[in-house]
Amino acid sequence: MSTTNEPADPLAKGTFATAKQAWSDLFKWKQRVVVTNEFGEEHTEWQDPEPLKNPFSLFAQLKAKDWLYFIVGFLAWTADAFDFHALSIQTVKLAKYYDRSKTDITTAITLTLLLRSVGAAFFGLAGDKFGRKWPMVLNMIILGLLQIATIYSKTFQQFLAVRSLFGLFMGGVYGNAIAMALENCPTNARGLMSGILQQGYSFGYVLAACTNLGVGGTTESWKIVFWVGAGFSIAVGFARMLFPETKAFIEAKKAGKANAAPGLFWKETKVMLKKEWRMCLYCIVLMTWFNYYSHTSQDSYTTFLLTQKHLPNAPATRASILMKTGACVGGTIIGYTSQFVGRRRAIIVAALMSACIIPAWILPEGERSLSASGFMIQFFVQGAWGVIPIHLNELSPPAFRSSFVGITYQLGNMISSPSAQMVNAIAEKVNITTSKGEKAPAYGPVMGIATAIIALGIATTTALGPEKRGRHFENAGPPGVDLMAAKDIEEGDDSDEKGGARAVEVSESGIEKK
């Protein structure tokens, strides 16, 4: 089919050539798109971005079952975040309970983040091979049980051991939840839905903070928050049991006859890694920056309010809740606008805006001022994050959306795992004079300097990286489909030739449109 769009140079090959082209494309309003015609021939052209649609009309495009998959994916990610933040927002309580320093308690956060990549690899590959359903069910129920095990940890060593095991299973949630929720969404609604979906993380923080506010500031009250988190995770696991595998995964698996080729799963995995290793490394670097971004700016924030700003438990918790409310709003709005302005532009502007707000974030005194500045900085921090679910899905090899997204995200988490511990350790070694004339750990300056460096790192990395906004990955089957299709063609299986061509097409780099 002929097109009236202006032709463009092909996608660059190689690391430096790709970075140079990406930087140049950032300042062009039109998007470089790889187009495949009905004969399988490819060319590259410039296309105008699709105009933003009314969000309510985008919501209306999702069918009832699509909403079901999305909501359960959102709740799984929310429960995952609740379980994680149940510890970070109660660092002071846990330090008193186990008679340890706050830095010692944040060792548990480091261990949790360090081991999440292992769980992401296991459950991500299981999700790509066997489907999104049962890996998620198993994941969520075990998470809940490990929350209960945390409550019954009598010694600090037992506590650390359970939180390490918790990290293994926590890592498996993100990839399957994101893939399940977004693969059923219409293409032009994915920016908006990505922004909402990512805010399950912030919403989980808000729920954990509200629970912490409700149980009060007594030392023993930390256990109640963990009981709530355990019930939440197990409930999501049972909810996922009640409806079937996603239609997109089932149809793609049938089309590729992946069940008939058990050895092709690992063969195609090796082919993908050989072909896409640069993309894998890029996404890991990007997610390392992003995980430092969120953990540095939020994990020690409640501790900062309690120690440096002298707020009691209730006002500090309320300020934390409003901070993460800003995250929910920002992630949704900026994720939505990325459908029009582009994934990379949205991320870069949000990151730079967050850097500009840092002085207003750490300098004010009093609950109201700190709540307002916390709301604004997290509006942009999580605004940038709101683009990530769909950006990673579009950058990933189509057949590996669950494992690629989960593994790159959690490897970034692993590398950034010492973030909270580093902030606490540096802050506790450097004292500043507070507004009351007292000496206190320098949480504000440490978080501010670190967040500024990270925001600039995100802007630079994103500016030099690829973008595949609008990529059509919904027809790609599980790993093994491409090689099975190629095998069928070699054997002269005409009935599968078209399906094989389709699978190969959506596996190519670039944005595939017919």
Side-chain angles (χ1 to χ4, degrees):
M1 180 180 292
S2 61
T3 176
T4 59
N5 291 319
E6 178 187 353
D9 293 334
L11 294 177
K13 304 292 183 182
T15 304
F16 293 105
T18 299
K20 183 179 179 181
Q21 188 181 73
W23 174 259
S24 175
D25 287 357
L26 190 64
F27 301 97
K28 297 181 177 70
W29 182 245
K30 291 186 177 182
Q31 185 179 7
R32 191 188 305 269
V33 177
V34 176
V35 178
T36 305
N37 64 20
E38 61 269 26
F39 304 108
E41 299 168 336
E42 289 186 349
H43 69 277
T44 309
E45 63 182 35
W46 294 107
Q47 291 185 0
D48 288 313
E50 296 180 3
L52 279 180
K53 292 188 176 181
N54 185 312
F56 295 102
S57 68
L58 296 177
F59 289 149
Q61 293 182 27
L62 275 71
K63 299 177 182 178
K65 186 175 286 188
D66 299 337
W67 274 111
L68 184 63
Y69 289 124
F70 181 84
I71 290 171
V72 173
F74 177 87
L75 290 177
W77 185 219
T78 300
D80 183 75
F82 186 108
D83 292 346
F84 176 78
H85 290 301
L87 189 154
S88 65
I89 64 174
Q90 298 187 105
T91 300
V92 174
K93 291 182 186 178
L94 288 162
K96 293 178 181 178
Y97 183 83
Y98 286 109
D99 194 24
R100 296 278 182 158
S101 69
K102 292 183 285 294
T103 302
D104 287 342
I105 296 300
T106 56
T107 303
I109 297 177
T110 301
L111 291 173
T112 296
L113 297 177
L114 191 63
L115 292 169
R116 283 169 71 170
S117 57
V118 180
F122 178 81
F123 285 100
L125 288 172
D128 283 329
K129 175 64 177 174
F130 303 110
R132 322 300 187 203
K133 180 177 180 178
W134 292 111
M136 180 181 287
V137 170
L138 181 66
N139 216 167
M140 298 308 299
I141 292 176
I142 293 178
L143 271 183
L145 295 176
L146 287 172
Q147 284 288 86
I148 296 173
T150 304
I151 296 169
Y152 289 101
S153 298
K154 295 183 179 180
T155 67
F156 184 63
Q157 286 70 29
Q158 291 175 356
F159 174 77
L160 291 180
V162 172
R163 297 310 291 181
S164 299
L165 191 58
F166 175 84
L168 287 173
F169 289 91
M170 187 177 183
V173 175
Y174 189 79
N176 280 320
I178 299 302
M180 180 187 74
L182 291 180
E183 67 188 0
N184 298 285
C185 292
T187 303
N188 61 354
R190 286 178 183 152
L192 174 62
M193 303 311 290
S194 171
I196 297 173
L197 181 62
Q198 180 60 33
Q199 298 327 302
Y201 184 81
S202 300
F203 189 52
Y205 184 104
V206 170
L207 293 180
C210 288
T211 306
N212 181 52
L213 180 63
V215 301
T218 61
T219 302
E220 292 284 340
S221 63
W222 72 267
K223 296 182 180 181
I224 303 175
V225 179
F226 276 75
W227 275 115
V228 174
F232 190 5
S233 295
I234 293 173
V236 172
F238 280 116
R240 184 64 186 92
M241 292 174 64
L242 299 179
F243 59 99
E245 186 56 75
T246 62
K247 183 180 178 181
F249 183 88
I250 293 174
E251 289 183 350
K253 192 168 185 178
K254 287 180 179 178
K257 299 191 291 189
N259 283 330
L264 293 182
F265 175 84
W266 298 112
K267 288 182 181 178
E268 190 170 334
T269 300
K270 292 177 182 177
V271 171
M272 182 275 291
L273 290 173
K274 184 177 180 180
K275 179 181 177 182
E276 302 281 1
W277 66 270
R278 286 186 181 88
M279 184 67 78
C280 292
L281 289 178
Y282 172 77
C283 289
I284 290 170
V285 171
L286 183 64
M287 296 318 299
T288 299
W289 279 121
F290 263 96
N291 280 289
Y292 267 116
Y293 196 32
S294 58
H295 291 298
T296 300
S297 64
Q298 72 185 17
D299 288 357
S300 300
Y301 187 70
T302 304
T303 307
F304 159 69
L305 297 177
L306 292 170
T307 57
Q308 186 177 322
K309 297 301 180 179
H310 304 292
L311 293 182
N313 181 71
T317 304
R318 286 196 297 266
S320 297
I321 292 170
L322 286 174
M323 174 188 75
K324 276 304 183 179
T325 302
C328 294
V329 176
T332 302
I333 292 174
I334 295 176
Y336 170 56
T337 57
S338 76
Q339 193 71 30
F340 179 61
V341 302
R343 314 297 185 206
R344 294 190 302 148
R345 292 190 191 99
I347 291 172
I348 292 167
V349 170
L352 294 178
M353 286 297 298
S354 70
C356 294
I357 294 174
I358 288 173
W361 173 47
I362 60 175
L363 294 177
E365 300 288 336
E367 180 185 349
R368 291 184 178 181
S369 298
L370 289 166
S371 296
S373 60
F375 180 98
M376 288 309 301
I377 195 167
Q378 286 298 323
F379 179 96
F380 291 107
V381 169
Q382 290 300 322
W385 260 108
V387 186
I388 286 298
I390 189 57
H391 190 43
L392 278 185
N393 261 274
E394 290 171 339
L395 293 180
S396 67
F400 291 86
R401 292 192 305 280
S402 179
S403 53
F404 183 91
V405 172
I407 292 172
T408 54
Y409 172 80
Q410 299 301 356
L411 281 173
N413 246 326
M414 181 184 74
I415 298 170
S416 67
S417 59
S419 54
Q421 196 171 8
M422 289 166 60
V423 168
N424 277 268
I426 296 172
E428 289 187 336
K429 288 182 179 179
V430 180
N431 288 328
I432 62 171
T433 303
T434 69
S435 59
K436 293 185 177 181
E438 300 177 7
K439 294 291 184 181
Y443 281 101
V446 172
M447 290 192 302
I449 293 171
T451 302
I453 294 170
I454 293 163
L456 294 176
I458 286 174
T460 303
T461 304
T462 304
L464 298 176
E467 179 175 343
K468 299 179 180 179
R469 175 180 29 152
R471 189 179 196 184
H472 287 261
F473 50 66
E474 58 272 12
N475 292 325
V481 168
D482 287 359
L483 294 182
M484 190 64 194
K487 181 180 178 182
D488 287 342
I489 293 172
E490 288 178 2
E491 294 174 353
D493 188 348
D494 294 334
S495 62
D496 288 316
E497 191 169 6
K498 293 181 180 179
R502 180 181 63 181
V504 173
E505 173 201 343
V506 295
S507 295
E508 294 297 324
S509 60
I511 304 172
E512 301 82 11
K513 294 187 178 181
K514 291 188 177 181

